[in-house]
Amino acid sequence: MGEHCRSGHCRNPKWRFPLTLLVIACAAPRSWFAAAQTPAFSQTVIRVGRSPGPMAIAKLTRSGHADIVVGNTDDGTLSVLLGDGAGHFTEAHGSPFPCGAKPNDVAVADLNGDGIPDLVIANHQTPYLTVLLGDGRGGFAPAAHSPFATGSNPHPHGVIVGDFYGTGGPAVVTDSWGNDRILLIPSDGHGNLLLPGTFFAADLHTDSGVKAGRFSDDGNLDIVTASQPRGAVGLMLGNGKGEFRRAPGSPFAAGEQAWQFAVGDVNGDGKLDVAVIPYERDLRDRSQLTVRVLLGDGHGALRPRQGAPLSLAGCAGPGSIAIGDVTGDGIADIAVSCAQNGQWMLFIGLPDGSFSREDYPVATGWGGLAIGSLIAGRANAIVVANAKNDTVTVMQLR
């Protein structure tokens, strides 16, 4: 399959402080919300490093406030933006932090058992995973033996951390899509990864990485993957003892060129679902430019959501997707960034299980997208990486 490139960006789409630069109101051109009102979002634009891409929202300090981590692809750094719980952010002392070449994904977890979140970074176009240990004040430093050279083929794109061995300790999973496998790597409890790890055959053949969640009722963490040539999503069921097997029926059809995907409870039934967007450049059938939603049954199977897929017509270069309630009505919404025409699309979840789409202008580019709570008592915010402008935009329902 090889590494594709678009607009000079390799098939990892480019994931770059007085910080708060601009706050404006942003409203969509169409309307449905609370029976008649279009949701409007404030925008806070924050300058970060060069070509921001992967992002995570997490509580990195003892303040209890949510913070934002941004991987700057062209700098090989991470910007850490500390929140005050009221929607304002300041750059952590020492940020941006070196994190190895081309950060493509970032996972947040306590790797050394001190109760403070640490970071694991997938370094695109290298064999490495970088581990940065947190100090509880927003600062990060490399683990003793970081970076860690994996046997991923051709190199890591995504990374997740979880208790895959059932011991209560963290382990890492990354992708090896060149040979259709995932790689499970245990840790030593001190921030170091114990390589070479174990490979498992998987329904994985694209550079969209891996995600984790509990898709069956056994309580164990499972792994979601994508196979672009097969137009499908793969599900690997974990046994809680460091082993994985394909779920019965995997891979599950997810539309032509199934690529980037998000995990969340789309229909509010307490079971995890998957939403998928295609790699537009390789589509043969333009009617396949849609969001496909696969609903989990809680027993390790996925099925297509009833009704037509959600149209992405007008979205040039759909690049990232996220699931979360951003309108504050208790119903999950789906957000998609459009890398090549400066907008993002919000599919607003309705009580009857359908969606209404609204389009919003934002700088975008081939960068990341995240949804999470940044202000206590308020709806989740949306954070978009503006790769062309070296900024991120935080959008909060007004």
Side-chain angles (χ1 to χ4, degrees), residues 8-324:
H9 297 284
C10 259
R11 266 284 319 233
N12 150 52
K14 285 272 191 178
W15 297 138
R16 258 186 199 311
F17 305 174
L19 294 174
T20 302
L21 305 181
L22 177 66
V23 179
I24 63 175
C26 177
R30 288 180 294 281
S31 52
W32 180 95
F33 183 62
Q37 178 185 354
T38 296
F41 294 86
S42 65
Q43 286 193 3
T44 302
V45 180
I46 305 171
R47 184 159 295 281
V48 287
R50 292 177 53 226
S51 192
M55 296 186 297
I57 296 173
K59 296 177 181 178
L60 302 176
T61 73
R62 302 186 192 280
S63 71
H65 303 315
D67 312 303
I68 303 171
V69 179
V70 184
N72 303 306
T73 306
D74 285 357
D75 285 348
T77 64
L78 286 180
S79 294
V80 176
L81 311 177
L82 301 180
D84 65 357
H88 307 109
F89 296 89
T90 56
E91 192 166 16
H93 179 70
S95 174
F97 301 98
C99 69
K102 298 185 181 300
N104 194 70
D105 196 13
V106 56
V108 182
D110 180 5
L111 270 291
N112 60 355
D114 62 358
I116 297 171
D118 308 308
L119 305 175
V120 185
I121 298 96
N123 296 117
H124 182 58
Q125 295 182 4
T126 82
Y128 296 113
L129 296 177
T130 296
V131 174
L132 300 181
L133 302 180
D135 64 6
R137 299 183 298 275
F140 291 89
H145 302 290
S146 181
F148 300 91
T150 71
S152 171
N153 180 359
H155 39 250
H157 293 84
V159 62
I160 49 180
V161 181
D163 181 12
F164 297 106
Y165 287 94
T167 62
V172 170
V173 172
T174 189
D175 60 296
S176 182
W177 73 260
N179 52 11
D180 301 332
R181 299 193 292 179
I182 60 173
L183 171 60
L184 173 65
I185 309 170
S187 69
D188 67 356
H190 301 287
N192 298 302
L193 305 184
L194 302 177
L195 291 159
T198 305
F199 286 94
F200 296 90
D203 298 308
L204 189 163
H205 201 81
T206 188
D207 60 7
S208 55
V210 288
K211 290 184 170 55
R214 290 179 172 85
F215 283 83
S216 65
D217 50 13
D218 61 9
N220 299 320
L221 276 174
D222 309 308
I223 304 295
V224 183
T225 62
S227 179
Q228 195 174 318
R230 299 183 70 172
V233 164
L235 181 58
M236 299 289 289
L237 300 181
N239 69 356
K241 300 177 182 179
E243 298 174 333
F244 296 94
R245 63 178 177 86
R246 284 185 173 91
S250 181
F252 302 95
E256 185 184 334
Q257 297 297 325
W259 182 45
Q260 295 289 342
F261 59 94
V263 170
D265 183 3
V266 172
N267 60 352
D269 64 356
K271 302 167 186 175
L272 287 179
D273 312 308
V274 182
V276 190
I277 57 176
Y279 182 46
E280 181 188 18
R281 194 197 69 175
D282 289 350
L283 285 177
R284 297 178 300 275
D285 179 358
R286 298 298 298 177
S287 71
Q288 297 284 308
L289 186 61
T290 61
V291 179
R292 301 284 181 129
V293 177
L294 304 182
L295 301 179
D297 67 357
H299 303 292
L302 300 170
R303 58 179 174 80
R305 167 186 165 272
Q306 289 188 347
L310 308 177
S311 174
L312 286 169
C315 183
S320 296
I321 184 169
I323 298 170

Side-chain angles (χ1 to χ4, degrees), residues 27-33 36-40 311 313-314 343-348 356-360:
R30 288 180 294 281
S31 52
W32 180 95
F33 183 62
Q37 178 185 354
T38 296
S311 174
Q343 64 175 327
W344 65 282
M345 294 180 171
L346 179 63
F347 296 89
I348 302 167
S356 174
R357 194 185 96 180
E358 304 292 349
D359 302 352
Y360 299 84

